Amino acid sequence: MSRRSGILEFAVLGLLRESPMHGYELRKRLNTSLGVFRAFSYGTLYPCLKTLVTNGWLIEEPGNTHEDALAAPLTGRRAKIVYRLTAEGKEHFEELLSQTGPDAYEDEHFAARFAFFGQTSRDVRMRVLEGRRSRLEERLEKMRASLARTRERLDDYTLELQRHGMESVEREVRWLNELIESERAGRDRKGPESDESAQQDTTSGSTGGLPRPRDLPGTDTPGETAT
């Protein structure tokens, strides 16, 4: 499974955990809620849904709205198929939510993971945020070293683009610092979490007193070189 398809499967499972939807609703939510999926098409979504159904993580159900019931005989088309998360699908999604390896904080994956932080336990959120910050600090150090080596050979516009890329990464690092401190403050206020409270934190969408960011960091930054 490619990294891109893995992100899409994760996001679809996460959205369907909230409520069943048909394909059009899913595509709209992916476009509006998760910027990383702005450019994807039905030709990408439906093979993903088929795979998830085959794996037993989703089931297909006929649409049961009044409009769907009327549309079928009038147009000769089938009613819209609604996709519902199975118990196995929910278990699989929760397993994905618990992962904190590099894929959880690399560019596109991080944006999708952050969108579902309300369903993620505090400890996992902290590890993902700290991993993302560490990766960006490494990237920033490399960008600064590269700029220092090539500064004299760059024209003004290329140099400005490189500076803009560095500033974007620096902004995200500051944002991550604020989120991490807020997570720590929320944990300190509540004290050690019991198993019961940790479960409530995961399922209730609690963010531990986190500030609500105005927007998510983009998946790519001008002047940035992926590592």
Side-chain angles (χ1 to χ4, degrees):
M1 179 173 59
S2 70
R3 176 173 294 187
R4 179 76 173 181
S5 63
I7 304 168
L8 181 56
E9 289 185 8
F10 172 83
V12 167
L13 292 172
L15 290 175
L16 291 177
R17 189 188 186 192
E18 299 173 3
S19 66
M21 301 182 203
H22 54 67
Y24 175 78
E25 290 174 314
L26 269 171
R27 185 172 184 266
K28 184 176 180 180
R29 288 289 306 277
L30 289 164
N31 280 332
T32 57
S33 303
L34 301 173
V36 65
F37 298 110
R38 287 192 187 103
F40 91 108
S41 65
Y42 285 111
T44 302
L45 176 60
Y46 283 106
C48 171
L49 290 170
K50 183 177 180 180
T51 297
L52 295 176
V53 170
T54 300
N55 289 340
W57 298 330
L58 301 182
I59 57 173
E60 297 177 332
E61 299 176 337
N64 56 5
T65 65
H66 180 64
E67 291 79 6
D68 285 342
L70 291 177
L74 291 175
T75 63
R77 295 181 301 189
R78 292 191 305 168
K80 293 177 181 177
I81 293 174
V82 172
Y83 295 90
R84 182 185 299 274
L85 197 66
T86 64
E88 292 80 5
K90 181 179 179 181
E91 182 179 347
H92 179 63
F93 179 69
E94 290 173 352
E95 180 184 342
L96 294 176
L97 276 181
S98 70
Q99 295 177 2
T100 59
D103 275 353
Y105 48 78
E106 292 288 1
D107 297 334
E108 292 182 349
H109 269 270
F110 175 73
R113 283 299 300 271
F114 190 87
F116 295 100
F117 261 23
Q119 303 180 42
T120 307
S121 69
R122 181 178 289 107
D123 288 345
V124 170
R125 292 196 300 258
M126 281 289 291
R127 288 196 291 272
V128 172
L129 290 171
E130 289 172 343
R132 177 66 175 173
R133 180 177 63 180
S134 177
R135 180 54 52 88
L136 288 184
E137 287 174 341
E138 292 173 3
R139 185 177 300 176
L140 191 56
E141 183 177 349
K142 291 179 181 179
M143 294 172 71
R144 287 169 175 161
S146 175
L147 184 59
R149 288 194 307 270
T150 61
R151 181 187 299 271
E152 300 302 324
R153 301 195 299 271
L154 299 177
D155 62 59
D156 290 344
Y157 295 102
T158 304
L159 183 61
E160 191 60 31
L161 185 63
Q162 294 293 322
R163 287 173 175 163
H164 176 67
M166 288 176 54
E167 290 172 358
S168 297
V169 178
E170 288 169 346
R171 280 198 303 273
E172 186 173 346
V173 170
R174 290 194 297 269
W175 177 69
L176 290 167
N177 285 336
E178 293 175 0
L179 293 176
I180 290 169
E181 289 306 311
S182 294
E183 288 282 1
R184 286 176 178 161
R187 182 170 58 189
D188 291 344
R189 283 197 302 270
K190 291 189 175 184
E193 291 181 321
S194 64
D195 291 340
E196 181 180 356
S197 63
Q199 177 66 22
Q200 290 173 347
D201 177 52
T202 302
T203 57
S204 65
S206 170
T207 55
L210 285 175
R212 297 290 181 180
R214 286 186 295 273
D215 50 16
L216 285 176
T219 57
D220 294 293
T221 317
E224 204 178 313
T225 301
T227 58

